[in-house]
Amino acid sequence: MTRIVQTRRAALATVGAALVATAFAAPAVAADDAAAVAAAVEALRVAMVAGDGKALAALVFDQLVYVHSDGHLDTKESFLKSLDGTNSFKSLALSDQIVDVVGDNALVRHTFDSVNNLPEGKTSTAHIRVLQVWKLDKGAWKLLARQSTPLKV
């Protein structure tokens, strides 16, 4: 009987130690994941401003659902077509960003402020709130969905 008690105690001690180690390791992993997602968001912003279709294609899923603040929807194909090789943005800034990683998914919320280039040298502005859904795919974070809504100036 003593041997069983000692074995159970040893097993419980091992499980307890593993739980404690996991509790301390999990925030570090989550912080690393959040930083990787934030880096992917920044890479997307840079590629959008540059009109870099190759970089944009690598950062989004084929099933992309990209909803603009006016309600129109882009697929991956139309998203790339609207930005690849264009100079759509004079500037694009993201602020108030929050990244929440949930397993192999991430929710990113931020404010999106841009100056958009229009024909004939004109510009327009956007001041919107954005929700993005990112998913880990073969070690890389890719955009799966995006929804935005206008903010009052």
Side-chain angles (χ1 to χ4, degrees):
M1 187 80 138
T2 306
R3 184 176 184 162
I4 293 173
V5 171
Q6 288 175 339
T7 303
R8 284 185 186 161
R9 284 186 186 150
L12 287 173
T14 301
V15 169
L19 288 173
V20 169
T22 301
F24 286 108
V29 170
D32 289 348
D33 287 342
V37 172
V41 171
E42 177 60 11
L44 181 69
R45 185 196 70 77
V46 169
M48 289 173 70
V49 172
D52 185 344
K54 186 175 179 179
L56 290 167
L59 287 164
V60 301
F61 274 96
D62 290 342
Q63 303 84 353
L64 177 67
V65 175
Y66 191 99
V67 182
H68 295 266
S69 60
D70 65 2
H72 87 269
L73 168 72
D74 271 326
T75 62
K76 180 178 182 176
E77 181 181 355
S78 60
F79 173 72
L80 294 176
K81 185 178 179 181
S82 70
L83 293 173
D84 187 18
T86 69
N87 187 17
S88 296
F89 296 99
K90 185 173 186 172
S91 66
L92 173 55
L94 307 178
S95 61
D96 304 321
Q97 183 163 283
I98 298 170
V99 177
D100 290 314
V101 177
V102 183
D104 63 352
N105 300 298
L107 303 173
V108 178
R109 293 170 285 157
H110 55 238
T111 301
F112 177 112
D113 287 295
S114 66
V115 178
N116 312 307
N117 289 316
L118 300 175
E120 302 174 9
K122 296 183 181 181
T123 60
S124 67
T125 61
H127 179 62
I128 58 178
R129 191 72 182 146
V130 174
L131 169 64
Q132 297 176 334
V133 179
W134 291 78
K135 185 162 182 60
L136 192 57
D137 180 49
K138 299 174 188 163
W141 288 96
K142 291 185 177 182
L143 183 65
L144 180 60
R146 183 241 201 207
Q147 175 73 53
S148 61
T149 188
L151 291 172
K152 295 183 181 187
V153 178

